[in-house]
Amino acid sequence: MALERTLSIIKPDAVAKNVIGEIYTRFEKAGLKVVASKMKQLSRAEAEGFYAVHRERPFFNALVEFMISGPVMIQVLQGENAMQKNRDLMGATNPKEAAAGTIRADFADSIDANAVHGSDSVENAAIEIAYFFPATDVYAR
Ligand code: RTP
Ligand code: MG
């Protein structure tokens, strides 16, 4: 098994619902450690840059509008198979299809307001972590 890092974002809907702590508890109970974190109001340019791979998709504008609608909580998670483990905790993109007990099943309202983001590959995780955190702000622990 590989010790990995992945990028997680608690999206504006879940921050507004005041469930940051409940979501962090799920990370911790799954053996994932928070090794960097910050709350941030994304600018439009930051959100567009972060989701640049989706620029041509029909939902891009709605996604950017949603991600700048309020502050987000951004964290780096570290642990064995952290990328896939976080994806498993999150559940399917559409909360209607998310397995019971996943973050999206429990906290997401819609495919747009779906509570969390998680990197979808180890390669993208490295890019996404560097997008938000200088290396000196990510801690070995
Ligand atoms: P995320 O990137 O946020 O972790 O979510 P994901 O991998 O499960 O989904 P992805 O395909 O990367 O899409 C990014 C976000 O765009 C919104 N979306 N809306 N209306 C739609 O059909 C649609 N499809 C995707 C979701 O908020 C999704 O999380
Ligand atoms: Mg994605």
Side-chain angles (χ1 to χ4, degrees):
M1 295 230 286
L3 187 67
E4 290 173 359
R5 287 173 171 171
T6 193
L7 188 86
S8 160
I9 301 177
I10 300 177
K11 296 185 178 184
D13 57 322
V15 172
K17 281 185 183 169
N18 205 27
V19 292
I20 293 171
E22 291 199 42
I23 293 172
Y24 270 42
T25 297
R26 292 177 186 221
F27 297 151
E28 292 174 352
K29 286 194 168 151
L32 296 173
K33 292 180 176 177
V34 176
V35 294
S37 75
K38 63 182 164 194
M39 185 173 280
K40 198 168 199 295
Q41 171 67 55
L42 300 182
S43 68
R44 185 174 300 275
E46 278 173 321
E48 287 177 349
F50 183 74
Y51 280 117
V53 292
H54 294 311
R55 194 172 289 276
E56 304 306 323
R57 307 279 284 277
F59 59 79
F60 179 75
N61 286 334
L63 175 60
V64 169
E65 285 297 334
F66 173 66
M67 290 300 286
I68 67 174
S69 67
V72 296
M73 192 76 193
I74 312 170
Q75 45 281 328
V76 178
L77 305 177
Q78 178 180 287
E80 296 289 340
N81 297 316
M83 185 283 294
Q84 189 58 52
K85 198 175 270 183
N86 181 45
R87 297 287 300 188
D88 291 346
L89 291 173
M90 290 163 57
T93 307
N94 185 345
K96 290 188 185 127
E97 294 162 11
T102 60
I103 293 169
R104 283 168 167 164
D106 290 345
F107 301 122
D109 298 321
S110 67
I111 195 166
D112 298 304
N114 65 356
V116 281
H117 163 84
S119 305
D120 61 6
S121 71
V122 175
E123 295 71 27
N124 284 340
I127 294 166
E128 293 180 358
I129 291 167
Y131 190 82
F132 285 119
F133 294 99
T136 49
D137 286 355
V138 183
Y139 293 89
R141 49 166 295 221

